Structure formats: structure tokens, C-alpha cells
Amino acid sequence: MAKKNGFYDPNDYDQRLENIRKAKGNPNKNVHRKKNGSNYGGVANAPAADRRAAAKQEEKMSPTVKASLYAMLALLLVVMVLQAFVFRNNYIMTQASTMVIGLICLFLAYINRYQRKKTGTFQTVMTVVLAGLGLLYALAGLLGLLKAFGL
């Protein structure tokens, strides 16, 4: 059937019904694609959804590591308060706080390297800096404590 270019007859009932049907679209089309989380598109979109879910899961730390981090930060707070108020100008407490700071830096480097699993230059540099500072502070504190106890 040939198209009627530029001609519209308002009295043609069949043409009007055809135009209404075309304007509504296909009533048999799948509307589930609009729902959130649907697998519209089949298997091709499934790996992308799996990657997004894995990325969300990857950011979470295990409860053991999280509890250890909180315990170390609480230990640092206790040692710093004791050093600042109770044992003011005490050599042993100063070296103990230095060693605790070093251990926390090493633990943060461990978390950054093995728990977060992010890659990139910045993450690598941050891990190396934390590990270096942790080793420096931990060894300085340990050597100071050994000197204080005469070993």
C-alpha cells in the first residue's frame, strides 16, 4: 500500500485508528526492563552486574580486622593519654607510644595491601610509605625500650 504523502483525511476512520494504534506503541512489549534490577539484555549485562556487586563486597573489611583496628586505636588513645597526663616526661612511656604508633602504621599498611585490594600508583605509594614509617617508628620504639631496660 502506497503512502499518502501530506494527505490526511479526518473522516477516514481506518486511518485514524491506525494512527492511534501507532501512537500507543506495541501493547505486547516487555515492560519488565523498566523495573530496577531486571536482567533485561540477557547474559551480556550479567557480568557487569556481577562486577558491581563484587566491588561493593570488596570494600567491606572483615569483622576481625575491623575489631583489631578499633582495639589498636583504643590502645593508642590510652597510651597517649597516659603519656600526656599521668607519666609526663617518662622515657619508657614515650618509647612505648612510639612503638604503638609504628605498629598501627604497619597494621594500616597491611589493611591497605591485603584487605582493600585496590590497585593503582597512589595505593602502592601509600602502602610503601605506611610500611616504611611503621618500621621506622616500631624499631625506634623497640630500641628505646631495650635501652631503657638495659638490654
Side-chain angles (χ1 to χ4, degrees), residues 93-115:
M93 224 33 212
T94 304
Q95 298 306 319
S97 65
T98 303
M99 192 169 77
V100 168
I101 290 172
L103 292 176
I104 289 176
C105 284
L106 286 171
F107 188 66
L108 289 174
Y110 166 78
I111 289 173
N112 195 29
R113 175 70 173 102
Y114 295 107
Q115 296 293 321

Side-chain angles (χ1 to χ4, degrees), residues 2-21:
K3 285 187 175 181
K4 301 176 184 176
N5 291 333
F7 179 74
Y8 176 71
D9 183 14
N11 295 325
D12 188 3
Y13 185 71
D14 291 333
Q15 185 181 3
R16 181 181 287 172
L17 288 179
E18 181 71 16
N19 289 339
I20 290 172
R21 186 189 64 77

Side-chain angles (χ1 to χ4, degrees), residues 4 13 20 26 29 34 43 47 50 69 80-81 86 90 93 101-102 109 111 114 124 134 140 146 148:
K4 301 176 184 176
Y13 185 71
I20 290 172
N26 185 0
K29 69 182 176 184
K34 296 180 182 178
V43 180
D50 291 342
L69 181 62
M80 291 301 217
V81 167
V86 179
N90 188 342
M93 224 33 212
I101 290 172
I111 289 173
Y114 295 107
T124 305
L146 290 176

Side-chain angles (χ1 to χ4, degrees), residues 124-146:
T124 305
V125 169
M126 188 167 54
T127 304
V128 168
V129 167
L130 276 172
L133 285 176
L135 282 174
L136 181 71
Y137 273 84
L139 286 176
L142 183 65
L143 291 176
L145 286 175
L146 290 176

